[in-house]
Amino acid sequence: MDLDDVFDGAGLKNTAVREYVRHWAAHTGAARVEVVDAEDDARLVQEALDAGELLPVGEGCYYSRSFHKDTARSEERTIVATSNPEDKGTYNNWRPSSEMKPLLEGLMRGASAGKTMYVVPYLMAPPGSPMERYAAGVELTDSRTVALHMIRMARVGVHHINDLHDPESFVRAVHVTGDLETLGQGTPADQRYFVTVADERTILHFGSSYGGNALLGKIAHGLRQAAYDGWASGEFLAEQFMLLGIVDTETGKRYHVAGGFPSASGKTNLAMTLAPEGLGDRFRVEFYGDDITWLWIDPEDGRLYGMNPEYGVFGVAKDTNEITNPTALESVQPGTGAIFTNVAYNAKTHEVWWEGRTPQPPADLDGWLDWKGLPIAERTPEQADDPWAHPNSRFTTTLANVPNVAEDFEEPRGVPIDAIIFGGRTRDREPLIRAITDLAEGVYDGLTLGAEATFAADGVDGQLRYDPMSMRPFMSYPEAKYAAHWLDVIGRAKVQPIFAHVNWFQRDAEDGHFLWPGYRENLRALLWLAHLQEGSVTGVPTAVGILPTEEELHLTGVSVPPEDIERILSIDVDRWRQEMGFREEHLKQFDGLPEEIWEAHRRVARDLGC
């Protein structure tokens, strides 16, 4: 194999990239090297179909199945490594790079023997973006399906890395699958490691071919590495935030809302929502992204700007249907090139299904295989209630396939951010929405965001935990410094965004019904927030923020009992007083937390009468 011929044939000119690929091809023992471009997608898909790595779904969509022990993030195996022990935080699982690099290099040595190394040059930003210098990367992977997912999730092609201002300034991302059946997943002998060497802008992932463990431009670069880069440079924030736009078609006003929601808290559904029918045609919702937002201050106007660095959507399939998220279903229609992973698959009809897709699974079991590839018709009575699809099954599609994607989703400058919201799945205490106008209190609220563990995090369904800014699994530097960086970056904005906490999931304690219908109706709360910021409504001040009145919320067309409305527009003071003690213990973990955050905590506690 003459690598120079490979590079020249692909038009790869960046000498630093060529040397990087040359080193790792030799180290991993790859038999072949192929440089990937987005234009190679159709050929790679056909090769994957021929090899049985993909299966057809209708016309122009595809199905893949991962190893049955390789289905989710593994936070305990995910590590941030640097040369500075002071980078150790509470949640970033820090280890010294002097320990982790040799360990990963040893695991990867010769581990791709006989395989093709796919070289995936990518950009995690629109070309010309002020964030472009942090966005270039090259993933090396021995998995063709990973390369295909990367084409959908990032901007892929050698032109993104050939003309870098600094040829060395790209993230070096190495993914080696390993022998998945022998890695001891979840045992004391577990050999998997997912390491971001943040101060060297290097990512080394071994022992998976699924999701964020393998699509290294997504979480490892787009969140962990980018968050570290943003802090080290002092320039920007990289957050697990959705980003949407709201257009008032009568006035022409536009609002942009970014927000952090831990897994299973409705982030994707909100990001892809449509305006409720009760509001007529006045408002239009525009989709920018459902998972990552980079935030910075534009030096020209001093405003906070944001963008989604990704090029696609890697969405959870479970419970996605015409009611919860019709936009998502439209984005994976025939011809979109979407890839479904670990859902149920019909080998005869080439259909897919997952729990929540329809009220009941297909009645005719002929041809249906579950997410492990086992015939559902052959299940024993004891297996009858086993899920057809894995709870963390996914669909992957490009942003351009989302029907209400914003026309300016590739605007290099990004879009101005008017509001930052947080929201977790909470049965009580949290009202529908409470607005926060103080920066320190807004950051404090994000640091004390409550969440439930999910299958995406190898968690126990329904278990509550704190998840600061929804970044707990993605932290790459200490939380106290993270809080200070937030105060610094947002504090520079000449026009401060308004903060808010939302909760679509409050339930009745007796019969368990949801007090708020959710889904498309959630836009009403965001509209109220926009109107509060511009001063057309005033709300009701409370110890934990400003709440809307029933009249301000524009409830025309919503059928909610008056007693439920009253409850979601009020706070339970006793539960909040209890919560403040839990918050204090949580924040004490973060040594050196800025005094502004503690002042915000004491102010809220005092106003609650604690």
Side-chain angles (χ1 to χ4, degrees), residues 39 65 84 87 96 149 158 173 197 211-212 220 232 296 317 355 370 412 420:
E39 294 182 358
R65 185 182 295 123
N84 186 356
D87 289 339
H149 277 86
V158 295
V197 188
W296 69 95
E355 275 68 22
D370 68 13
I420 295 173

Side-chain angles (χ1 to χ4, degrees), residues 73 210 314-317 339-343 392-396 456:
R73 290 197 316 269
Y210 185 80
F314 185 64
V316 175
I339 300 175
F340 300 90
T341 307
N342 289 346
V343 298
N392 194 38
S393 57
R394 298 280 178 154
F395 60 86
T396 310

